[in-house]
Amino acid sequence: MSKIIFKTNKKIDFQNHLIQMKWRDKTGFKYNEKDIEYFRSLENSKDTKEQWNRFEEYSKYFYSKENKENVHEIIDFYQDSWNKVEDVYISKMEEIHKNYFFYNVVLGVLSTSPGGWGFNLKGDNPWFACPNKKNERFLKVAMHEIMHGFFIKYFREKCKKNFGLSNNQLWDVQESLTVLLNIELSDILPQEDLGYPQHQELREEIKKIWLKTKDIDETLNHICKNIRK
């Protein structure tokens, strides 16, 4: 059985919308005016119920009966495509991080968000959001988001304790570390993992140290020391 299961879940989709509402300025996604107005409407809502109603209105076609067959096609395409690379991906992630893949199942939830893919990899129902269009790009999103789980599980608290990094600095490391996908998984990655504009220098430094050491501990120690300065 596959460890990553793609499906729809309106409640999780809604959570991803709220994540993007809070993080949209930091992520660097380019939104059109209609989408900006939508996020503002979520921010200005009086309570969660009103936010939910606005979300339902925004995403109603995707969840409609008319679109049901299309959604099933997307899910089947995602699952079939992922199943072909899952063993290679997980094996490489375990090799890079020197630790095992610790989830029984992770949900890849199709999201109607106009941009941005959040995640919650804690608890009994770990998930990440992914695009709701039939495109191989979803593979990059999945690989990127799942890789965050390894950093959070095995290295985040260690980096915080040993180097005194702030939450923002830890986020910088977490997001920049995905440059390793381009080096180690280029044969199954459908397109380059570009990262955020503000992380390009850090990503180049990670790349340089990784190619020199091929060791995650040495790479993170070097990067965390530099960030702390």
Side-chain angles (χ1 to χ4, degrees):
M1 180 179 176
S2 180
K3 293 181 180 295
I4 311 301
I5 303 296
F6 293 92
K7 63 184 298 183
T8 58
N9 183 309
K10 281 184 74 172
K11 290 183 179 180
I12 291 178
D13 186 11
F14 175 58
Q15 290 302 311
N16 185 56
H17 280 240
L18 297 184
I19 290 171
Q20 303 318 314
M21 176 191 75
K22 295 176 182 178
W23 285 75
R24 67 183 188 276
D25 291 336
K26 195 169 184 177
T27 60
F29 277 97
K30 295 181 179 180
Y31 299 102
N32 60 42
E33 191 57 37
K34 181 181 177 181
D35 293 333
I36 292 173
E37 289 179 6
Y38 167 67
F39 281 128
R40 286 174 180 163
S41 74
L42 292 180
E43 288 176 324
N44 296 329
S45 296
K46 62 183 178 181
D47 53 28
T48 304
K49 183 178 180 180
E50 185 175 327
Q51 288 178 322
W52 174 264
N53 290 338
R54 294 184 185 280
F55 157 75
E56 281 209 305
E57 177 63 26
Y58 184 90
S59 59
K60 64 181 180 181
Y61 177 73
F62 181 75
Y63 292 104
S64 68
K65 290 182 179 179
E66 294 84 355
N67 196 44
K68 191 173 182 178
E69 185 176 341
N70 178 52
V71 170
H72 284 314
E73 287 181 7
I74 296 170
I75 291 174
D76 288 344
F77 172 75
Y78 278 15
Q79 197 67 60
D80 290 343
S81 300
W82 176 261
N83 289 347
K84 293 174 183 176
V85 302
E86 181 179 87
D87 289 346
V88 173
Y89 173 78
I90 291 178
S91 177
K92 180 57 70 172
M93 287 294 102
E94 290 179 334
E95 178 185 328
I96 289 171
H97 296 92
K98 297 189 287 189
N99 278 292
Y100 68 96
F101 185 80
F102 44 89
Y103 303 107
N104 291 323
V105 172
V106 180
L107 301 181
V109 176
L110 279 63
S111 179
T112 57
S113 170
W117 323 114
F119 63 88
N120 185 344
L121 298 171
K122 298 179 180 180
D124 298 328
N125 193 36
W127 62 268
F128 65 90
C130 57
N132 66 337
K133 302 290 192 301
K134 189 176 178 180
N135 189 303
E136 280 195 340
R137 175 174 176 244
F138 89 93
L139 283 172
K140 186 195 72 171
V141 174
M143 293 179 193
H144 178 108
E145 302 302 338
I146 296 168
M147 187 175 181
H148 290 335
F150 279 89
F151 176 78
I152 292 168
K153 173 73 173 180
Y154 294 116
F155 300 102
R156 190 181 191 280
E157 288 307 310
K158 188 187 299 184
C159 291
K160 184 176 183 178
K161 179 181 178 181
N162 292 348
F163 299 97
L165 301 188
S166 67
N167 287 336
N168 281 337
Q169 288 172 325
L170 290 166
W171 182 78
D172 291 338
V173 174
Q174 173 185 297
E175 290 297 338
S176 300
L177 199 61
T178 61
V179 70
L180 298 185
L181 293 172
N182 299 329
I183 302 171
E184 299 296 333
L185 286 163
S186 60
D187 54 336
I188 62 171
L189 194 67
Q191 55 185 240
E192 186 178 5
D193 186 281
L194 297 175
Y196 299 118
Q198 66 267 35
H199 294 149
Q200 295 312 302
E201 185 175 338
L202 181 57
R203 288 169 70 87
E204 282 300 312
E205 186 68 12
I206 288 173
K207 180 179 177 181
K208 181 174 73 173
I209 299 302
W210 176 259
L211 290 174
K212 181 180 178 181
T213 66
K214 289 285 184 154
D215 185 275
I216 191 67
D217 294 302
E218 289 187 42
T219 300
L220 284 174
N221 287 345
H222 176 91
I223 295 303
C224 289
K225 287 177 184 177
N226 282 359
I227 287 181
R228 188 178 58 183
K229 296 176 183 178

